């Protein structure tokens, strides 16, 4: 299965300054849900509505993002829906008078609860009226994928996958390292596949190892919740340099008291394969690990249906933390970075710039002198009569990567 990433850029290859080109692969996204609201009066409505006997308390759901956005009445409906889904109820009777409201709360439940893999996100809500003077109510009928033994078997598979994943971070205590681990785990272990079964839930990613953005984002939320890290499932749209727009899902996390965006789907590297006989590394895009609104808004547009926590901090920018970030143009320093990278026989050198202006200055200098000088130094240092290298321009991310080949 080839890895795909939704960002697009330019990838070029050089052998003795000869130019070639590789095309980037882009895939679609599935996150949509179909829900029908069917308001209607029902003359044969029962005299006494069989509402659920509430078992889920407010304390069990307090603090969950979408639950906290609701009114007191809607929170009651939320708890009723959650209880009904947990028990695979075919019909869930709600203290609600509007079918559309019931559907919205139903979606809130699924957004807060990534562990609900057995419900596909589709539901029909019907409004009923009782005797004159009595309140209207709604019956919601979720569409279940799995029930009984099959549901339990799949749940056990998910728990086994969760245990295997989380066993790798027993010695990590820092929240950032935990988030980075889950981000990397999903990218390394899941392939983006539009045809993956169950691709709207965590089973597809954690067990099937194939999913789309919904599976990545819900799995990220589920695993981080297991680690006690606050994580929100969010939706919106993404854009590419060609003007293409697609629906998408990703996450907001809280780390060391600050909020950040995380998008494991877009962190998944494109499959580059070989070029001129050399294997091109599939690099994880850490641009989407604990990034700020400034960074994410270059390619993402979050839904405006809710007021989400503000993600302004850039304290955890991966490239800043690892000495790959540049907010000024200093050609002498850039050459030193290239030389050190070659002396260490690194497979690539990454430059992440703070804005478009700095990016363009550095890219221009790369083309004019720096890459050629670096290639000359590589040949001289290792006694090569032919030097090969490739580079990748990712203007939407203000990132430039040079790939070096040492034989």
């Amino acid at each position: 299965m080839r890895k795909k990433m939704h960002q697009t850029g330019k990838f070029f290859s050089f052998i003795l300054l000869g130019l070639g080109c590789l095309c980037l692969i882009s895939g679609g996204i599935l996150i949509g849900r179909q829900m029908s609201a069917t308001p209607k009066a029902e003359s044969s409505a029962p005299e006494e509505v069989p509402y659920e006997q509430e078992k889920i308390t407010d304390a069990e759901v307090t603090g969950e993002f979408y639950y906290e956005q609701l009114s007191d009445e809607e929170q009651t409906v939320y708890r009723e829906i959650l209880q009904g889904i947990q028990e695979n109820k075919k019909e869930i009777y709600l203290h609600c008078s509007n079918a559309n409201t019931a559907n919205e709360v139903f979606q809130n439940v699924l957004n807060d609860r990534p562990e609900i893999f057995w419900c596909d996100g589709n539901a029909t809500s019907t409004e009923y009226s009782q005797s004159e003077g009595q309140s209207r109510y709604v019956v919601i009928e979720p569409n279940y994928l799995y029930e009984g033994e099959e549901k339990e078997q799949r749940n056990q598979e998910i728990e086994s996958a969760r245990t295997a994943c989380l066993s790798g971070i027993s010695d990590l205590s820092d929240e950032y390292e935990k988030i980075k681990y889950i981000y990397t785990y999903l990218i390394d272990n899941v392939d983006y596949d539009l045809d993956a079964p169950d691709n709207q839930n965590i089973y597809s990613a954690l067990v099937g190892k194939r999913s789309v953005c919904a599976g990545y984002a819900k799995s990220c939320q589920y695993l981080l919740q297991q680690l006690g890290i606050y994580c929100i499932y969010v939706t919106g749209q993404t854009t590419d340099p060609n003007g293409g727009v697609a629906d998408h899902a990703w996450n907001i996390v809280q780390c060391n008291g600050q909020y950040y965006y995380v998008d494991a789907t877009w962190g998944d590297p494109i499959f580059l394969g070989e070029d001129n006989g050399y294997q091109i590394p599939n690099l994880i895009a850490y641009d989407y690990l604990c990034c700020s609104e400034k960074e994410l808004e270059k390619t993402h547009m979050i839904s405006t249906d809710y007021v989400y926590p503000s993600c302004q901090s850039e304290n955890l920018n991966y490239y800043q933390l690892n000495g790959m970030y540049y907010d000024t143009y200093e050609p002498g320093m850039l050459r030193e970075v290239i030389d050190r990278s070659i002396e260490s026989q690194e497979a690539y050198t990454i430059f992440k710039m703070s804005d478009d202006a700095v990016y363009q200055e550095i890219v221009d200098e790369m083309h004019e002198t720096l890459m050629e000088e670096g290639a000359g130094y590589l040949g001289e240092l290792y006694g090569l009569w032919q030097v090969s290298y490739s580079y990748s321009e990712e203007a939407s991310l203000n990132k430039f990567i040079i790939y070096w080949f040492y034989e």
Side-chain angles (χ1 to χ4, degrees):
M1 180 65 60
R2 291 186 170 188
K3 296 280 189 178
K4 300 181 182 70
M5 185 169 68
H6 295 278
Q7 72 182 65
T8 59
K10 298 178 182 177
F11 183 87
F12 300 90
S13 299
F14 275 72
I15 289 187
L16 295 179
L17 305 183
L19 176 62
C21 180
L22 286 176
C23 295
L24 293 187
I25 304 168
S26 180
I29 301 150
L30 297 176
I31 63 170
R33 290 185 167 79
Q34 298 175 349
M35 294 181 288
S36 58
T38 314
K40 64 180 181 181
E42 181 60 61
S43 58
S44 60
E47 292 184 5
E48 185 173 337
V49 181
Y51 295 115
E52 296 290 325
Q53 292 185 353
E54 238 183 279
K55 301 174 186 176
I56 295 175
T57 66
D58 179 72
E60 293 177 72
V61 287
T62 294
E64 295 186 356
F65 177 77
Y66 291 99
Y67 180 76
E68 295 294 346
Q69 311 307 306
L70 305 177
S71 67
D72 291 344
E73 292 79 8
E74 290 168 338
Q75 287 183 345
T76 297
V77 173
Y78 179 108
R79 296 193 298 273
E80 290 173 333
I81 291 175
L82 176 57
Q83 181 175 311
I85 291 176
Q86 289 180 342
E87 298 174 357
N88 278 77
K89 289 289 184 67
K90 301 295 185 184
E91 296 181 335
I92 307 171
Y93 288 78
L94 306 175
H95 288 88
C96 181
S97 61
N98 184 279
N100 288 318
T101 298
N103 281 335
E104 291 171 5
V105 176
F106 172 76
Q107 189 62 59
N108 294 148
V109 171
L110 297 182
N111 287 346
D112 276 336
R113 293 282 178 150
E115 71 272 16
I116 299 175
F117 66 89
W118 59 91
C119 181
D120 70 357
N122 297 313
T124 299
S125 292
T126 307
E127 295 175 15
Y128 290 89
S129 60
Q130 299 184 71
S131 303
E132 185 176 350
Q134 292 184 297
S135 300
R136 296 174 66 84
Y137 65 95
V138 171
V139 177
I140 189 167
E141 300 172 70
N143 187 44
Y144 296 113
L145 295 168
Y146 307 106
E147 301 179 70
E149 292 183 4
E150 187 173 15
K151 173 185 171 183
E152 180 57 31
Q153 174 61 34
R154 286 176 175 261
N155 188 55
Q156 290 177 8
E157 292 179 69
I158 289 172
E159 290 181 355
S160 295
R162 178 195 68 198
T163 299
C165 169
L166 300 185
S167 65
I169 58 174
S170 58
D171 295 329
L172 300 176
S173 58
D174 181 76
E175 285 186 336
Y176 172 74
E177 290 300 327
K178 290 178 180 179
I179 295 168
K180 181 184 174 186
Y181 175 90
I182 297 302
Y183 180 85
T184 305
Y185 177 89
L186 291 171
I187 291 169
D188 286 344
N189 288 276
V190 182
D191 286 313
Y192 188 93
D193 185 359
L194 286 168
D195 298 321
D198 294 311
N199 61 26
Q200 298 296 294
N201 64 57
I202 63 174
Y203 186 88
S204 62
L206 297 183
V207 179
K209 307 300 183 185
R210 295 182 295 139
S211 194
V212 296
C213 60
Y216 279 81
K218 289 198 170 187
S219 296
C220 183
Q221 180 188 24
Y222 171 74
L223 292 169
L224 290 177
Q225 286 177 347
Q226 299 297 309
L227 295 171
I229 294 175
Y230 187 72
C231 182
I232 307 169
Y233 176 88
V234 301
T235 61
Q237 292 183 316
T238 56
T239 59
D240 61 48
N242 298 320
V245 178
D247 293 332
H248 191 51
W250 63 98
N251 302 102
I252 293 175
V253 301
Q254 187 178 45
C255 183
N256 300 327
Q258 299 287 336
Y259 290 99
Y260 301 89
Y261 288 112
V262 170
D263 187 349
T265 311
W266 275 50
D268 208 346
I270 186 171
F271 178 86
L272 296 178
E274 291 188 0
D275 180 65
N276 297 305
Y278 296 99
Q279 185 68 36
I280 309 298
N282 292 323
L283 302 182
I284 291 176
Y286 286 106
D287 309 74
Y288 302 100
L289 169 65
C290 292
C291 66
S292 67
E293 181 179 292
K294 173 186 174 183
E295 179 74 16
L296 193 85
E297 285 186 343
K298 296 174 182 177
T299 50
H300 293 52
M301 298 171 290
I302 197 167
S303 167
T304 57
D305 292 341
Y306 300 92
V307 179
Y308 292 102
S310 179
C311 302
Q312 299 297 323
S313 175
E314 298 188 15
N315 293 339
L316 298 181
N317 182 300
Y318 174 85
Y319 301 98
Q320 289 190 46
L321 294 176
N322 290 276
M324 305 174 188
Y325 190 82
Y326 304 88
D327 53 17
T328 58
Y329 166 59
E330 299 179 32
M333 180 183 68
L334 298 180
R335 176 60 197 277
E336 289 178 7
V337 170
I338 289 174
D339 288 354
R340 288 198 304 270
S341 180
I342 290 170
E343 290 164 1
S344 300
Q345 292 195 32
E346 295 175 353
Y348 50 86
T349 311
I350 298 178
F351 300 87
K352 174 78 172 182
M353 282 62 90
S354 59
D355 56 43
D356 293 344
V358 177
Y359 171 81
Q360 196 57 56
E361 283 185 303
I362 290 178
V363 169
D364 289 345
E365 187 65 23
M366 289 292 177
H367 286 295
E368 290 176 11
T369 62
L370 290 176
M371 285 192 292
E372 185 175 349
E373 290 175 356
Y377 181 62
L378 188 153
E380 178 184 347
L381 186 63
Y382 296 104
L384 302 178
W385 66 273
Q386 174 176 295
V387 176
S388 298
Y389 67 93
S390 298
Y391 70 88
S392 173
E393 294 182 10
E394 300 179 24
S396 63
L397 297 176
N398 299 135
K399 186 169 67 175
F400 190 91
I401 307 174
I402 310 173
Y403 303 93
W404 305 108
F405 309 114
Y406 294 88
E407 51 179 56

